[in-house]
Amino acid sequence: MTSMTPALRNLFLAGAIASLLLARASAAATDPAFVECAACHSTDGTNALGPTLKGIVGRQSASVPDFAYSNAMKRAKLQWTAAELDKYLANPQGVVPGNAMPYAGMPDPNQRKALIAYLSTLK
Ligand code: HEC
């Protein structure tokens, strides 16, 4: 097999770099505030320290079957509409007292709004 000429190799590298950049651009659709959740929550249907957030907007609270929710979360009986998520993320312990999510809350309403818009894309 003949080896690639330098020009061909550069073309090949340019293509590889372009596709890497494209892959990063689509991953960048993740809301920046989601870094505060990603340590505990996946978006792909798998549970971690917290239940997966795939399909969270519109979901019934404590409804991921194989996640061990706290009794407080099981009793909450909420529907995670955008409005309910907004209240919960601002003050998790205020909305579901005694729940087991170790997160103090996100005070900035604009940050919550952008985050919830992102969460609603997780189908
Ligand atoms: C340190 C870990 C941790 C972080 C950080 C965290 N969570 Fe959680 N989250 C949990 C745990 C654990 C639960 C389950 C609580 C329970 O059972 O009481 C939970 C529950 C939830 C629920 C309820 C889910 C359901 O199925 O009813 C939502 C919604 C949620 N988290 C959203 C978020 C969002 C959005 C963020 C980021 C702003 C976040 N969480 C940050 C650990 C975390």
Side-chain angles (χ1 to χ4, degrees):
M1 201 179 112
T2 57
S3 60
M4 282 189 210
T5 66
L8 201 60
R9 196 179 56 222
N10 285 344
L11 199 66
F12 179 77
L13 282 174
I17 290 167
S19 49
L20 270 176
L21 288 176
L22 271 176
R24 283 180 138 234
S26 51
T30 304
D31 186 76
F34 190 72
V35 295
E36 294 191 21
C37 326
C40 302
H41 291 285
S42 89
T43 60
D44 67 358
T46 59
N47 295 322
L49 206 62
T52 184
L53 294 183
K54 185 178 182 190
I56 187 65
V57 177
R59 198 166 87 190
Q60 196 64 33
S61 58
S63 64
V64 173
D66 51 351
F67 185 80
Y69 290 97
S70 66
N71 286 329
M73 191 59 82
K74 284 188 216 159
R75 278 193 300 261
K77 302 268 190 289
L78 298 171
Q79 195 186 358
W80 293 125
T81 59
E84 201 64 57
L85 281 168
D86 189 58
K87 282 191 264 174
Y88 178 68
L89 295 178
N91 182 6
Q93 289 302 325
V95 173
V96 184
N99 86 81
M101 174 159 122
Y103 180 75
M106 184 176 284
D108 180 345
N110 292 322
Q111 213 179 0
R112 291 198 306 274
K113 193 172 177 212
L115 175 61
I116 293 163
Y118 166 67
L119 293 177
S120 71
T121 68
L122 304 176
K123 302 286 180 205

